[in-house]
Amino acid sequence: SFDLTQPPSVSVSPGQTASITCSGDKLGDKFASWYQQKPGQSPVLVIYQDTKRPSGIPERFSGSNSGNTATLTISGAQAMDEADYFCQAWDSSTLYVFGPGTTVTVL
Amino acid sequence: EVQLVQSGAEVKKPGESLRISCKGSGYTFTTYWIAWVRQMPGKGLECVGIIFPGDSDTRYSPSFQGQVTISADKSINTAYLQWSSLKASDSAIYYCARHDSGAVRGVTYNWLDPWGQGTLVTVSS
């Protein structure tokens, strides 16, 4: 089966840059998406097709994907960006594959 | 506005049956796949399966094959997730989400947007 790994947590100071990695075998040959989930809320898509931002998602969110690693970058992190972030890829046999999630703390 | 509205929280006993629903609006329901995703307490996201309401083509993640049934009624723009005999380990929040996709150089990309508000299922004796 295709598995994705993420660091459990990332801390960032307000206004600084946070990078969240997502690793999987030849992940760069697939496309990655990212979801933000705040406590008690449903996940929200923040990046799809590696680098694209849906309408309404701030420009400070960006994505990249190469080799075995996809990265979500939050440039100029704000307190409102505190949340869990899940990466996702597609596998034809297991369908949607999600990473275990990374908790971002802004302090 | 594209929306998915799910049915309310359920409390059931082990062995009971259950069907939860997800109603789509603001788009042509029959032309997008719908995914069901499980989130156990304090845990991550797991794909249960997907359905194409236009013809009810359904695919299950291997972990959930035979454990649940996904269906849809396109006449009322609603997808369903059901269990015939619940277990305590089925306790979780279940989300539905609209599946969208494309392809670049033969490689498929997929994403889920938007998501429903989630249905909390509690199974306890």
Side-chain angles (χ1 to χ4, degrees):
Chain A
S1 65
F2 183 74
D3 296 316
L4 297 172
T5 59
Q6 297 180 238
S9 62
V10 166
S11 294
V12 61
S13 299
Q16 299 303 301
T17 296
S19 294
I20 307 161
T21 57
C22 174
S23 298
D25 186 42
K26 298 180 183 177
L27 179 57
D29 291 345
K30 302 178 183 288
F31 286 100
S33 298
W34 291 88
Y35 302 87
Q36 176 193 70
Q37 186 179 34
K38 296 181 179 180
Q41 298 184 19
S42 302
V44 172
L45 178 72
V46 294
I47 292 288
Y48 67 100
Q49 200 182 337
D50 290 344
T51 62
K52 298 187 187 302
R53 274 180 295 105
S55 173
I57 300 301
E59 291 184 10
R60 64 180 179 273
F61 290 91
S62 62
S64 64
N65 185 15
S66 179
N68 295 320
T69 304
T71 303
L72 174 69
T73 301
I74 309 173
S75 304
Q78 300 182 11
M80 68 175 67
D81 300 330
E82 281 204 342
D84 292 330
Y85 291 85
F86 297 92
C87 61
Q88 170 255 304
W90 174 266
D91 178 83
S92 59
S93 58
T94 48
L95 309 179
Y96 281 94
V97 178
F98 294 96
T102 298
T103 299
V104 171
T105 303
V106 181
L107 45 68
Chain B
E1 178 194 8
V2 177
Q3 261 194 315
L4 296 173
V5 178
Q6 299 184 229
S7 50
E10 301 275 1
V11 180
K12 293 289 189 178
K13 290 181 167 36
E16 292 186 332
S17 62
L18 174 65
R19 188 177 76 167
I20 62 175
S21 66
C22 168
K23 184 175 177 64
S25 63
Y27 73 102
T28 304
F29 188 71
T30 53
T31 60
Y32 287 85
W33 292 75
I34 291 287
W36 284 98
V37 177
R38 181 177 79 174
Q39 187 168 38
M40 300 181 77
K43 301 298 185 182
L45 306 171
E46 302 171 273
C47 179
V48 176
I50 58 174
I51 186 166
F52 189 71
D55 61 6
S56 289
D57 185 11
T58 306
R59 303 176 193 177
Y60 296 92
S61 295
S63 299
F64 292 91
Q65 181 79 46
Q67 308 305 307
V68 297
T69 301
I70 295 172
S71 61
D73 184 339
K74 61 185 180 182
S75 70
I76 55 171
N77 288 1
T78 300
Y80 301 98
L81 176 63
Q82 67 182 67
W83 296 259
S84 59
S85 181
L86 286 160
K87 302 185 285 287
S89 57
D90 293 320
S91 296
I93 297 175
Y94 292 86
Y95 295 100
C96 64
R98 192 179 76 169
H99 159 108
D100 210 340
S101 65
V104 174
R105 296 184 297 276
V107 180
T108 302
Y109 55 89
N110 303 273
W111 68 93
L112 296 170
D113 182 56
W115 294 58
Q117 82 276 22
T119 296
L120 175 63
V121 174
T122 303
V123 184
S124 174
S125 55

